[in-house]
Amino acid sequence: ALGDQDPTLQYQPKPVMEINVQHPILKSVRTLIATNEKDPVAVDSADLLFESSAVASGYGINDPQGFVHRLTRVLERSLGAPE
């Protein structure tokens, strides 16, 4: 019944994700995608940017394993490690 609910859970604010379209990373990703929307670096970067922003804002992500694989690919590229 309604009276059995924990009152502290009734007024929890919803997480808010804010996107700063002027951020240099977002601008770079937009340029990559505009150049070639199928570029794997652009796709991984855009996905990681969205997923990391979601996590930082208090949301969950649908595919944590995919997130880890994308993050690993980006780290390998940036460090020059073999993929």
Side-chain angles (χ1 to χ4, degrees), residues 9-61:
L9 299 177
Q10 291 178 348
Y11 302 105
Q12 295 294 322
K14 291 184 179 185
V16 174
M17 182 187 317
E18 295 181 14
I19 299 173
N20 178 358
V21 296
Q22 298 303 318
H23 194 285
I25 292 174
L26 185 57
K27 286 182 175 183
S28 295
V29 169
R30 289 174 64 190
T31 301
L32 282 174
I33 291 171
T35 303
N36 178 4
E37 67 183 33
K38 296 185 188 277
D39 177 358
V41 173
V43 172
D44 281 346
S45 298
D47 287 342
L48 283 172
L49 184 60
F50 174 77
E51 291 167 332
S52 61
S53 297
V55 170
S57 297
Y59 291 96
I61 52 176

